[in-house]
Amino acid sequence: MIDFRSDTFTKPTPAMLQMMFRADVGDDVFNEDPTVNKLQNMLAEKFGMEAGLFCASGTMTNQVAIKCHTQPGDEVICDQLSHVYIYEGGGIAFNSGCQVKPLQGNLGRITASQVAEAINPKDIHKAPSRLVSLENTSNRGGGSCYEINDIHQIKEVCLENNLKLHLDGARLFNAIVAKDEDPKEYGNIFDSISICLSKGLGAPVGSVLLGKKEFIDKARRIRKVFGGGMRQAGYLAAAGIYALENNIERLALDHRHAQQMVAALKEKDFTGSMFPVETNIIIFEVKGKYSAKSLAEKLKENDILVMAISPTQVRMVLHLDVTEEMVKKTIQIIENL
Ligand SMILES: *Cc1c(COP(=O)(O)O)cnc(C)c1O
């Protein structure tokens, strides 16, 4: 099977497993796991931020961050396609007692003027606007990337209005590699950043939340309350360290593979409109002789797995476990459909 459903389907390589086996561990609830501490420090340093916190998932890092930044009754501003809003089980309401003001952005990206307009006036009828949450790359936006200058402008609006700024950077390294950016620029702008190790970076588990030391101290307490205090988590953190050391630059290969697939798909008359492909995610309309479901079934007969994300849309995601040969084979099969 060639699995294009998601970059979460990657499995640890033998070399990554070796590193996990050999990890030096301790009780992380007591801050005594050297491998967890190393992972947190490595990422914090990469982004020029003060501290990091290893969590079980990207949902947890996002939800812990939102809880830290807000009080019940506050309002969180984000794009309507944001993972924090549509894919985290209503967690913003459930965990933080906040409401969301979802904005209609461009492929998951919002602008500074949209944020400025969305901020509630000081008025007892209104929920206090407290936090802006951005997503880069945008999952539901087809892996779209922000222009860093647009983020700087949003930060200006946040500073003027005393709002915190969070980044759901589940696939931030895809954006950084695609746009040849400096991670420290992100560290400079955001109050908190969540990074997934379990997507394109290829680790089996884990995300890291980054922020100022005081913020991370608070996040550590919230993580414990959420049941996320892990003990000898160094075995998992070791996979993250391996991923950071070996799997960042190679994301460019996934992006090249995505472009090769796009070229093949665009030749087919069942391919309708396609989101612009900037990184490793391809989302396109299916028309004519196939529906999204029947195209997915047809591909499955050829040992290729894709995801029908709506009755008319298919998603394909490139990642570590899709080799050049697999891309070639898939293109051949697409050509014959
Ligand atoms: C995958 C993902 C997350 C985190 O998901 P988990 O399954 O909880 O790790 C967060 N945000 C975005 C944009 C994602 O794609």
Side-chain angles (χ1 to χ4, degrees):
M1 285 287 176
I2 308 174
D3 204 334
F4 293 100
R5 287 174 298 169
S6 173
D7 47 9
T8 55
F9 283 88
T10 52
K11 289 178 188 163
T13 56
M16 181 182 274
L17 286 169
Q18 276 306 316
M19 192 134 160
M20 294 169 75
F21 270 126
R22 293 202 197 108
D24 190 6
V25 297
D27 190 335
D28 182 50
V29 172
F30 287 77
N31 281 339
E32 285 183 18
D33 190 299
T35 310
V36 170
N37 291 338
K38 183 177 168 189
L39 171 68
Q40 292 170 167
N41 291 336
M42 257 176 95
L43 258 181
E45 210 166 283
K46 221 179 209 346
F47 283 84
M49 296 180 92
E50 286 178 10
L53 185 70
F54 184 53
C55 290
S57 70
T59 299
M60 186 178 270
T61 39
N62 281 332
Q63 292 297 323
V64 165
I66 292 165
K67 182 73 186 161
C68 286
H69 286 309
T70 61
Q71 291 295 321
D74 286 347
E75 194 161 82
V76 178
I77 297 169
C78 64
D79 186 277
Q80 60 177 356
L81 300 178
S82 300
H83 195 281
V84 294
Y85 178 49
I86 59 173
Y87 290 138
E88 297 188 4
I92 293 179
F94 193 100
N95 297 314
S96 297
C98 292
Q99 64 186 32
V100 172
K101 188 172 279 180
L103 306 182
Q104 196 168 354
N106 169 23
L107 298 170
R109 296 161 301 196
I110 54 178
T111 64
S113 59
Q114 280 184 298
V115 172
E117 255 176 57
I119 295 168
N120 286 332
K122 268 207 175 63
D123 175 333
I124 57 162
H125 298 89
K126 298 287 189 177
S129 306
R130 191 75 61 198
L131 173 69
V132 176
S133 180
L134 306 182
E135 189 174 309
N136 200 24
T137 68
S138 164
N139 176 345
R140 210 49 195 73
S144 60
C145 305
Y146 271 94
E147 294 297 334
I148 198 85
N149 281 336
D150 294 344
I151 301 179
H152 276 295
Q153 286 178 11
I154 292 172
K155 176 67 175 181
E156 289 286 303
V157 173
C158 290
L159 287 174
E160 282 161 16
N161 293 279
N162 205 18
L163 303 183
K164 297 292 182 189
L165 186 57
H166 172 70
L167 177 59
D168 177 355
R171 296 186 181 80
L172 183 54
F173 280 113
N174 289 88
I176 285 172
V177 167
K179 296 245 179 225
D180 196 18
E181 291 165 336
D182 179 0
K184 292 198 169 61
E185 198 163 358
Y186 285 92
N188 247 329
I189 298 173
F190 286 93
D191 296 296
S192 53
I193 302 180
S194 157
I195 310 245
C196 284
L197 302 163
S198 58
K199 301 269 165 78
L201 294 180
V205 177
S207 288
V208 176
L209 181 62
L210 301 171
K212 286 214 175 350
K213 179 160 185 317
E214 201 183 343
F215 170 83
I216 292 296
D217 286 346
K218 188 173 172 189
R220 179 176 289 281
R221 181 186 136 69
I222 301 295
R223 184 188 66 173
K224 190 76 179 80
V225 175
F226 283 0
M230 297 186 283
R231 302 295 176 172
Q232 285 72 33
Y235 292 115
L236 301 175
I241 292 171
Y242 183 91
L244 293 177
E245 285 174 345
N246 295 280
N247 294 343
I248 294 178
E249 280 78 26
R250 66 152 304 288
L251 292 170
L253 183 63
D254 295 339
H255 302 166
R256 275 205 298 282
H257 286 161
Q259 290 306 327
Q260 291 162 8
M261 305 261 299
V262 165
L265 284 166
K266 284 197 165 159
E267 294 296 314
K268 305 304 292 187
D269 50 14
F270 62 75
T271 304
S273 64
M274 189 183 276
F275 286 18
V277 178
E278 291 189 71
T279 53
N280 65 326
I281 301 177
I282 304 169
I283 297 178
F284 62 98
E285 280 311 313
V286 183
K287 61 175 190 185
K289 63 177 167 178
Y290 294 115
S291 66
K293 196 161 160 241
S294 70
L295 179 63
E297 279 162 6
K298 187 75 189 162
L299 287 166
K300 195 172 177 185
E301 287 168 20
N302 290 283
D303 293 334
I304 293 169
L305 300 177
V306 303
M307 193 127 86
I309 56 168
S310 81
T312 58
Q313 286 177 307
V314 160
R315 186 180 86 158
M316 300 179 83
V317 185
L318 279 295
H319 54 76
L320 190 59
D321 288 359
V322 177
T323 62
E324 194 173 344
E325 287 66 41
M326 291 177 182
V327 170
K328 281 194 184 130
K329 190 182 157 202
T330 304
I331 288 173
Q332 269 175 8
I333 288 164
I334 289 172
E335 281 168 354
N336 290 320
L337 283 181

